[in-house]
Amino acid sequence: MQLPDNFNPLFSSYPLMTPALVFLMGLLLAVLFVWYFLTDSETIRRHLGSILTVLVVAFAIGSVYPPEEKLPLGLDLKGGTSFLIRLKAEPDETGTVRPITPAMLDQAREVIRRRVDSMGTSEPVIAPQGTDRIMVQIPGMNTGKLQEAREQLYRPAKLDFKLVHPQSDSIVQGLVPPDPAFKLEVYKDERDGKEIEERLVVKKKADIPGSMVNGARAFFDTQGWGVSLSFSAEGASLFAKLTQENVGKRFAIMLDGKVQSAPVIREAITGGNASITGHFTEAQARNLASVLENPLQTPVVIEEERTASASLGEDSINSGIFSGLLGLAMIALFVLVYYRFSGVIANLALIVNLVLLFGAMGLFGTVLTLPGIAGIILTLGMAVDANVLVYERLREEMSDKRPLAAVVRSAFEKAFPAIFDSNITTLITALILFWKATGPVKGFAVALCIGILATLFTALIASRNFFGWAIELGLLKNVSMGRLLVTSNFNFLRWRKLAIACSLSVIFASLALFWARGEKNFGVDFKGGDRVVLEAVKVKPEIKEVREVVDAQKVGEAAVQIEKSAAKEFFTIRSPQGTGEKLAEGIKAKFPQAEFRVEAVETVGSLVGGELARNSLMALLLGMLGILVYVTVRFEFSFALGALVALLHDVTITIGVFALLGRELSLVTVGAVLTIAGYSVNDTIVVFDRIREGMQTGRKGSVMDIMNLSINETLSRTIITGGVTLLSTISLFFFGGPVLADFALAILIGVLVGTYSSVFVAAPVVLWWNGKQKSSKHTEVTRLTPGQAGA
């Protein structure tokens, strides 16, 4: 998912909703939330929870209905092309480099928008990216029109000033013979809210070229909106002569051969400055100033290009939906079998979670992309974790022989700190990923952020409310559930030195292998180059034959692989920048019987690749810093250090396994690696929360004893949560298609390694730091009262 450039939440989804009504609805929900958390009456809380759940779900359903209008598909799902264009700042005639300003970027966007519109495309997205780039997304464009689109985007804008024939109207009406030095042009304008069309006879040769305009800006005075412009010295002289000789006549301002304005020359204008006035609206004045500034005389470079065919998009949708439904079915079945009636409640909460997730997407006008689907599928696995935390607490609380309502209430209250802390740490990485990432990774981050917030609501309000009504109506009189481990009293920390030694060995091996592979670790997204995806519609040649054709082209280092989706196989070619289409044409010519079809084309410049690598590394570093600060505040520094070491451990080993398997890092897999960081901390926080609780409640024994006991108490939850996340990710790996296979693989590795590190890495680091500081961990942790720790 990603936010469109014309992002307008609430009102785009609810055109009939006034700002006052939206404000009142938001205020009502806020009051209900506050009331819910402040009240001590379980009856009032149950009714408030019901009202909140119904209102929020209804709000979500309304925001996503009808889905074809409220959930627009990204280019990777419906087909199309995206270009990342950079404006190049070059020296002028004096040698001074004119920097790219925000105004120039906006003006360039308007020129590009006109050109894209002239190609007959529908709903293009043209948005600034950073300080000197523009993202152009054109839905529905097939690979055959790529060259035309490139030419339109590369071509500098041509601005000219041309005189209108003094007898223009008579020539148009056929009363006067046409002048061969002039030609007929159509001028479209808007006056009083109505579009008018005027035919003008305009000079063929420019009287003043647009290159002589130094600047232009819109202004407002007593006569209304207008545009002021200034000329270079040569342009000022030509313009003075033109206006002196043609007072009372009209002249046309032409951009790319089309009339943008046709004002009347009212007087001779000298000094190199002029004003154009008329019945302009603010938008028209600013648009004309944009035309006169003529930014596309500055050369542009297409730094990134990505194209996906409609058939590839349809295949991606089918694969994503199938893998998502399969993952959801496996999760729901496991939860139902293991937790029985409580599993029914967990599945209801999961459905509410999905409704809220899609509702938020529709509410904010987000665009559904393939990585967004991956984020949704991953969220399914992570959403169950909160229920698992509550249910494992519920199992412990039932041993006290108290009334069921009191047991359920206590289970939710004791699970709250772990649920809150673990989800907030994951949210930190997701927010930083959204801030620093671009393109598909940002779409994944959006899905993850929304999913985490939906999980918090369903776990803390919806699930608790379902339990409350089940007990109140007599549907639930006692709780039974499966048991993974009857008793566990393993001395995990006894093996800490061996575990740390093994981890260090694997980490050093991973770093050495990554270093040895060098640039081979990085895909097109990072090192730049071309990536072309071909499908053989009929007779498929052997991959060895395709490689021979590619090698014969001698374009440099190129790789050919076969990638599989649920229903199709594709030939993927990675090659140096600017060579992909040549290789594709060579393969099509060599194997005509295969009827190869180009399904996707990607071109990424080395400059963009380097920036993506730096941004990804910065996102990881900022994520670690955010987690360090948060865990230090909520727990203690030694816990933060343990979480950070475990995070680095998991990320390094995941990247090392990727290098071992010969996989490449792409934008999507980097998003997965950063998600592993969040998942790693999530799992570690749950163990830390139980350790903190044990110390605060005054359990007897050494710090090591309390840690071992806490790890054993959370072992069932650790295994179940990891297993549930693996269920959703396995379906994504096998059935999600080639684009998401590496993403799912990274998550699979990360979940396995993260489960190990939360037990054998994070806790030993805390223990080691405690011994190094020669201080009492009991004293440090219990400086917070239990009430403060669970706030």
Side-chain angles (χ1 to χ4, degrees), residues 35-45 409:
W35 191 3
Y36 177 88
F37 285 107
L38 290 181
T39 184
D40 292 326
S41 169
E42 281 300 310
T43 302
I44 294 176
R45 179 171 289 173
R409 181 169 62 253

PDB file of all heavy atoms in Angstrom, residues 35-45 409:
ATOM      1  N   TRP A  35     -13.483   6.753  28.471  1.00  0.00           N
ATOM      2  CA  TRP A  35     -14.435   6.210  29.451  1.00  0.00           C
ATOM      3  C   TRP A  35     -14.176   4.717  29.678  1.00  0.00           C
ATOM      4  O   TRP A  35     -14.196   4.230  30.809  1.00  0.00           O
ATOM      5  CB  TRP A  35     -15.855   6.461  28.949  1.00  0.00           C
ATOM      6  CG  TRP A  35     -16.941   6.198  29.965  1.00  0.00           C
ATOM      7  CD1 TRP A  35     -16.794   5.823  31.272  1.00  0.00           C
ATOM      8  CD2 TRP A  35     -18.347   6.300  29.735  1.00  0.00           C
ATOM      9  NE1 TRP A  35     -18.008   5.679  31.877  1.00  0.00           N
ATOM     10  CE2 TRP A  35     -18.995   5.969  30.967  1.00  0.00           C
ATOM     11  CE3 TRP A  35     -19.127   6.648  28.633  1.00  0.00           C
ATOM     12  CZ2 TRP A  35     -20.372   5.964  31.096  1.00  0.00           C
ATOM     13  CZ3 TRP A  35     -20.512   6.643  28.774  1.00  0.00           C
ATOM     14  CH2 TRP A  35     -21.118   6.308  29.984  1.00  0.00           C
ATOM     15  N   TYR A  36     -13.929   3.989  28.583  1.00  0.00           N
ATOM     16  CA  TYR A  36     -13.696   2.541  28.666  1.00  0.00           C
ATOM     17  C   TYR A  36     -12.510   2.230  29.575  1.00  0.00           C
ATOM     18  O   TYR A  36     -12.569   1.326  30.417  1.00  0.00           O
ATOM     19  CB  TYR A  36     -13.450   1.984  27.258  1.00  0.00           C
ATOM     20  CG  TYR A  36     -13.130   0.512  27.230  1.00  0.00           C
ATOM     21  CD1 TYR A  36     -14.139  -0.448  27.155  1.00  0.00           C
ATOM     22  CD2 TYR A  36     -11.806   0.063  27.291  1.00  0.00           C
ATOM     23  CE1 TYR A  36     -13.847  -1.802  27.139  1.00  0.00           C
ATOM     24  CE2 TYR A  36     -11.507  -1.291  27.275  1.00  0.00           C
ATOM     25  CZ  TYR A  36     -12.535  -2.218  27.204  1.00  0.00           C
ATOM     26  OH  TYR A  36     -12.234  -3.564  27.190  1.00  0.00           O
ATOM     27  N   PHE A  37     -11.406   2.954  29.419  1.00  0.00           N
ATOM     28  CA  PHE A  37     -10.197   2.652  30.180  1.00  0.00           C
ATOM     29  C   PHE A  37     -10.236   3.208  31.610  1.00  0.00           C
ATOM     30  O   PHE A  37      -9.492   2.748  32.473  1.00  0.00           O
ATOM     31  CB  PHE A  37      -8.962   3.187  29.451  1.00  0.00           C
ATOM     32  CG  PHE A  37      -8.576   2.367  28.250  1.00  0.00           C
ATOM     33  CD1 PHE A  37      -8.788   2.847  26.968  1.00  0.00           C
ATOM     34  CD2 PHE A  37      -8.028   1.108  28.406  1.00  0.00           C
ATOM     35  CE1 PHE A  37      -8.448   2.089  25.855  1.00  0.00           C
ATOM     36  CE2 PHE A  37      -7.686   0.328  27.307  1.00  0.00           C
ATOM     37  CZ  PHE A  37      -7.900   0.820  26.023  1.00  0.00           C
ATOM     38  N   LEU A  38     -11.105   4.181  31.870  1.00  0.00           N
ATOM     39  CA  LEU A  38     -11.160   4.778  33.211  1.00  0.00           C
ATOM     40  C   LEU A  38     -12.160   4.102  34.137  1.00  0.00           C
ATOM     41  O   LEU A  38     -12.006   4.133  35.358  1.00  0.00           O
ATOM     42  CB  LEU A  38     -11.493   6.276  33.112  1.00  0.00           C
ATOM     43  CG  LEU A  38     -10.401   7.178  32.531  1.00  0.00           C
ATOM     44  CD1 LEU A  38     -10.866   8.627  32.509  1.00  0.00           C
ATOM     45  CD2 LEU A  38      -9.099   7.057  33.319  1.00  0.00           C
ATOM     46  N   THR A  39     -13.190   3.495  33.570  1.00  0.00           N
ATOM     47  CA  THR A  39     -14.231   2.923  34.419  1.00  0.00           C
ATOM     48  C   THR A  39     -13.743   1.669  35.144  1.00  0.00           C
ATOM     49  O   THR A  39     -12.936   0.893  34.614  1.00  0.00           O
ATOM     50  CB  THR A  39     -15.492   2.580  33.596  1.00  0.00           C
ATOM     51  OG1 THR A  39     -16.509   2.114  34.488  1.00  0.00           O
ATOM     52  CG2 THR A  39     -15.200   1.505  32.560  1.00  0.00           C
ATOM     53  N   ASP A  40     -14.245   1.458  36.369  1.00  0.00           N
ATOM     54  CA  ASP A  40     -13.920   0.260  37.140  1.00  0.00           C
ATOM     55  C   ASP A  40     -15.039  -0.776  37.071  1.00  0.00           C
ATOM     56  O   ASP A  40     -14.882  -1.903  37.560  1.00  0.00           O
ATOM     57  CB  ASP A  40     -13.676   0.634  38.606  1.00  0.00           C
ATOM     58  CG  ASP A  40     -12.409   1.454  38.778  1.00  0.00           C
ATOM     59  OD1 ASP A  40     -11.452   1.208  38.018  1.00  0.00           O
ATOM     60  OD2 ASP A  40     -12.384   2.333  39.659  1.00  0.00           O
ATOM     61  N   SER A  41     -16.174  -0.400  36.501  1.00  0.00           N
ATOM     62  CA  SER A  41     -17.322  -1.305  36.421  1.00  0.00           C
ATOM     63  C   SER A  41     -17.195  -2.201  35.195  1.00  0.00           C
ATOM     64  O   SER A  41     -17.102  -1.706  34.068  1.00  0.00           O
ATOM     65  CB  SER A  41     -18.620  -0.499  36.344  1.00  0.00           C
ATOM     66  OG  SER A  41     -19.702  -1.331  36.021  1.00  0.00           O
ATOM     67  N   GLU A  42     -17.164  -3.512  35.420  1.00  0.00           N
ATOM     68  CA  GLU A  42     -17.052  -4.445  34.305  1.00  0.00           C
ATOM     69  C   GLU A  42     -18.300  -4.403  33.420  1.00  0.00           C
ATOM     70  O   GLU A  42     -18.225  -4.588  32.209  1.00  0.00           O
ATOM     71  CB  GLU A  42     -16.833  -5.864  34.814  1.00  0.00           C
ATOM     72  CG  GLU A  42     -15.412  -6.156  35.242  1.00  0.00           C
ATOM     73  CD  GLU A  42     -14.424  -5.971  34.107  1.00  0.00           C
ATOM     74  OE1 GLU A  42     -14.647  -6.512  33.001  1.00  0.00           O
ATOM     75  OE2 GLU A  42     -13.420  -5.266  34.315  1.00  0.00           O
ATOM     76  N   THR A  43     -19.457  -4.154  34.025  1.00  0.00           N
ATOM     77  CA  THR A  43     -20.694  -4.075  33.231  1.00  0.00           C
ATOM     78  C   THR A  43     -20.646  -2.894  32.272  1.00  0.00           C
ATOM     79  O   THR A  43     -20.960  -3.026  31.081  1.00  0.00           O
ATOM     80  CB  THR A  43     -21.915  -3.947  34.165  1.00  0.00           C
ATOM     81  OG1 THR A  43     -21.951  -5.063  35.053  1.00  0.00           O
ATOM     82  CG2 THR A  43     -23.204  -3.894  33.359  1.00  0.00           C
ATOM     83  N   ILE A  44     -20.270  -1.722  32.812  1.00  0.00           N
ATOM     84  CA  ILE A  44     -20.167  -0.529  31.955  1.00  0.00           C
ATOM     85  C   ILE A  44     -19.093  -0.739  30.892  1.00  0.00           C
ATOM     86  O   ILE A  44     -19.279  -0.394  29.718  1.00  0.00           O
ATOM     87  CB  ILE A  44     -19.846   0.716  32.816  1.00  0.00           C
ATOM     88  CG1 ILE A  44     -21.017   1.036  33.745  1.00  0.00           C
ATOM     89  CG2 ILE A  44     -19.526   1.908  31.920  1.00  0.00           C
ATOM     90  CD1 ILE A  44     -20.737   2.189  34.700  1.00  0.00           C
ATOM     91  N   ARG A  45     -17.965  -1.332  31.287  1.00  0.00           N
ATOM     92  CA  ARG A  45     -16.879  -1.570  30.328  1.00  0.00           C
ATOM     93  C   ARG A  45     -17.318  -2.507  29.218  1.00  0.00           C
ATOM     94  O   ARG A  45     -16.972  -2.327  28.056  1.00  0.00           O
ATOM     95  CB  ARG A  45     -15.661  -2.129  31.063  1.00  0.00           C
ATOM     96  CG  ARG A  45     -14.481  -2.422  30.143  1.00  0.00           C
ATOM     97  CD  ARG A  45     -13.258  -2.764  30.951  1.00  0.00           C
ATOM     98  NE  ARG A  45     -12.732  -1.580  31.629  1.00  0.00           N
ATOM     99  CZ  ARG A  45     -11.741  -1.600  32.517  1.00  0.00           C
ATOM    100  NH1 ARG A  45     -11.186  -2.768  32.848  1.00  0.00           N
ATOM    101  NH2 ARG A  45     -11.318  -0.495  33.078  1.00  0.00           N
ATOM    102  N   ARG A 409     -10.505 -11.370  33.616  1.00  0.00           N
ATOM    103  CA  ARG A 409     -10.096  -9.979  33.834  1.00  0.00           C
ATOM    104  C   ARG A 409      -8.618  -9.902  34.228  1.00  0.00           C
ATOM    105  O   ARG A 409      -7.856  -9.077  33.708  1.00  0.00           O
ATOM    106  CB  ARG A 409     -10.974  -9.344  34.907  1.00  0.00           C
ATOM    107  CG  ARG A 409     -10.616  -7.877  35.178  1.00  0.00           C
ATOM    108  CD  ARG A 409     -11.665  -7.191  36.041  1.00  0.00           C
ATOM    109  NE  ARG A 409     -11.785  -7.798  37.364  1.00  0.00           N
ATOM    110  CZ  ARG A 409     -12.811  -8.552  37.754  1.00  0.00           C
ATOM    111  NH1 ARG A 409     -13.831  -8.776  36.937  1.00  0.00           N
ATOM    112  NH2 ARG A 409     -12.845  -9.076  38.976  1.00  0.00           N
TER     113      ARG A 409
END
